[in-house]
Amino acid sequence: MLIARVDWSSSPAAIAAHQQQRIRVSDSTITVTITIVPPIIEMLASISFHGGPSSHFAHSATRRPYKPYFRLTKSHHVHSVCAFLSLRRIASGRFTIRALNREFDGVTEEKEERPFFPHLYTVKIPVGDRHIIVETGQIGRQASGSVTVRDGETIVYTSVCMSDIPSEPSDFFPMSVHYQERFSAAGRTRQVPCFGGFFKREGRTKDHEVLICRLIDRPLRPTMLKGFYHETQILSWVLSYDGLHSPDSLAVTAAGIAVALSEVPNTNTVAGVRIGLIGDKFIVNPTIMEMEDSKLDLFLAGSETGILMIEGYCDFLPEEKLLQAIEVGQDAVRAICKEVDNLVKVCGRPKMFDSIKLPPPELYKHVEEIAGDELVKVLQIKNKVPRRKALSLLEEKVLSILTEEGYVSKSENCVGAEITPDMLEDEDEEEEFVVDGEFDEGDVHIKPILKKPVPTFYSEVDVKLVFKSVSSKYLRKRLVKGGKRSDGRTSEEIRIIDAECGLLPRAHGSALFTRGETQSLAVVTLGDKQMAQRIDNLVGVEDVKRFYLQYSFPPSCVGEVGRIGAPSRREIGHGTLAERALEPILPSEDDFPYTIRVESTITESNGSSSMASVCGGCLALQDAGVPIKSSIAGIAMGLVLDTKEFGGDGTPLILSDITGSEDASGDMDFKVAGNDYGVTAFQMDIKICGITLSTMEHALLQAKEGRKRILAEMLKCSPPPSKKLSKHAPLILVMKVKPEKVNLIIGSGGKKVKSIIEETGVESIDTQDNGTVKITSRDLTSLEKTKVIISNLTMVPIVGDVYRNCKITSIVPYGVFVEIVPGREGLCHVSELSTDWLSKPDDAFKVGDNVDVKLIEINEKGQLRLSRKALLPDQGTDKPNENQSTAGESKDGGTPQKYTNKGKPRQSSNTPKGDVDKNSEGTFTKRYVGSGKNEPKTSSNKSSTVASSDSGSALINGEAQAG
């Protein structure tokens, strides 16, 4: 870093002290101090100096007898610096010009160098194989805490603000998180095709932004102290995105740093990292390109003391690998938090611990005295709804006593409960006076005071908070000491499971999965590419999802009345977890060319509804005929950590298949999905300040045993999944043509493909640049008809091919146009129409006549020349080969298509659904994806080739290749 310091001084002593330039060199800066003497001041005041060329700087010796005190290589630099000095700070006695270098180690306080930002601090933190740059004090200075975090050229800005007045106390910390990806960060604007591009401003929060909001919120909430009710808002924006470094891990880390710097009282600093697995090596915060080859996508957030949140997806990775990845992530988080703590010591604001307001400590004792015995009985009720109603009635009773009637503690002793008449004194009795400061003890009478029990009243909010806390305490005590849960299960026992497939007759696939009092109705819908979900992302590249799961949690599933509208953040998060869990078991698009939509509607809920969606979704996929790789199941694990407090031996208690009350009163909610061999998705949220790796290992191994039991119950599904396509599902035929012939199918402005759809009645024809053509239809007849048309459009003709019984479509003075295949025409010149001389073609032919023609020439434009004369007997034409076909020349010079020798389309033999038979030449017959009723019948005759030998129409790996 180069620092040019210019001192303005007219003192002779200063001039003598600065006859030479002073240069101070340190590790990262070079400071050049320059003293400006009166002749230079005159020079700076000269208008000609500032307006003239750089050569004006070389004044004569008479005007400037002093030697120059500094030398600059480029003269225009001198001009700009001096102009700044003259125009900006000529009236001041001293000024400084600095070029700041933001890349340095440690925390550096910039006060003297940046007077406009006196509290600018920058720290460089190592993360993985590179560094992130954290800066505070320059942007968002009026917020309680603000910070920018940079990785490469990706920059995330996060601010934290609080309301001045606390809100009403509640059991939920009043914190909201908003994350937004500005499209300007990637140098583009928003695309809204359905509205004509009018709305360019970022609008409603997108689903992936909601997911990042949840990633920020979940690890921060357990660190917030109870009793702090000032509403807190965390805002995070992506200001710059380089397409290489992901902003989500930066957003979590930035939010944790901003909260640590702010006045919000919290227990620990939070940071987040992503872990990838490339080969056998774990990568911390891998780039976007590295993640393409990663077997693991693990996001971990925590503090120096433990893990606060994990969420990850993998392709059947064993539990041992997951634990190794978590350990790597925890080490990275600890390193970040350690550096952030040093930054907080320098520039953090004092925490508002004095704003914490907790319920009176004695209130906990009062609630236990009133409701303790009844709580023990209520918590033994097995069913959720009766237990909830009983708890509600008990809470009303406690509220009535403590807020309306007033409560006197049983431990309070009432003095004067039995009062005798001689203990009472007349209030008008003469008082004793002490004279001169002396008195006789025998003359002083101590009056007995009657203490009446005074009822104590408490606020309704405090009572509700304490009642909930006491209820959780009694539930945890029952789990640890009694060894039984509310429904009578042991800690590792799974609830009763029931599964049924084919519940909805018109749906392509459906399943009803019930586990205890949690129930999911899963429905699968199959469609073509038009049904795929398109995502407008930050980088501007079209992102299309061929598989997506939509999770719905109506209020009726918990027996309540609530809002119905757009999906909540919880619904989006649970749906994504189930979607990512099922994704690894799906076949590739080449094997199953369908877009798959899964809907999971929760009809009952008492814990682990997202994992019920995984189980129900897996069964529904099988019922829809999707050839999944393996069946998977999901389970939710719970935890009671401080077991000594409740009579245990101190060992953490892990609970399998937790209910809603165990989730609310426990310390952890750990969801794991997978099969017997590995994990596909996992998510952990905790309510304490962190758990250890040993506890997590215990939970993962217990979850594996639970999944095995659930998978065994899923095999007992009655009725079982049909495992074949529904008759109501669309049929999709995949063809492969030469890429250069795709435009022939589309036509000018899409006219050709639209005409094919109208003519045949298929639903859609999707073409790709690589030559893949997907035809979607509801019936087999239209599918076959479309296949023939496209095969003819894209086939390659050979000179000598013969076409029979072809229709004349138009007549021109120089010949006739003959349609050799549907939609394609060729020219037969008047000289090739007959052996006799014809003056005009319409003398012998009219539109609609059928003729036999032979292909005799293909010009450089691909246009085809036909001849009828070559097939006439008196010309001695060769007998037409039955295996050859001819093509005609289109009016617009289009590429010809193939047809059979009798004017009918040639078709390759078809096999039943799911069968792919290889012939001796190495080609495959067509495999249709459809129901049994709509399967094509295998031809009894030997099929003829659709195209010529050099560009045939064959079926490879279930795809038709034509041309």
Side-chain angles (χ1 to χ4, degrees), residues 677-696:
Y677 308 104
V679 176
T680 60
F682 50 95
Q683 182 185 93
M684 184 193 73
D685 297 314
I686 66 171
K687 302 177 181 66
I688 52 179
C689 293
I691 63 173
T692 61
L693 281 174
S694 60
T695 303
M696 188 172 297

Side-chain angles (χ1 to χ4, degrees), residues 808-853:
I808 297 176
T809 58
S810 62
I811 299 177
V812 292
Y814 51 86
V816 296
F817 282 94
V818 180
E819 185 182 41
I820 58 173
V821 293
R824 297 299 299 275
E825 299 173 343
L827 175 65
C828 185
H829 195 266
V830 64
S831 61
E832 296 292 337
L833 284 174
S834 175
T835 55
D836 299 330
W837 183 84
L838 289 176
S839 60
K840 294 186 297 181
D842 51 6
D843 290 342
F845 302 93
K846 63 180 182 298
V847 175
D849 290 346
N850 294 328
V851 294
D852 297 337
V853 291

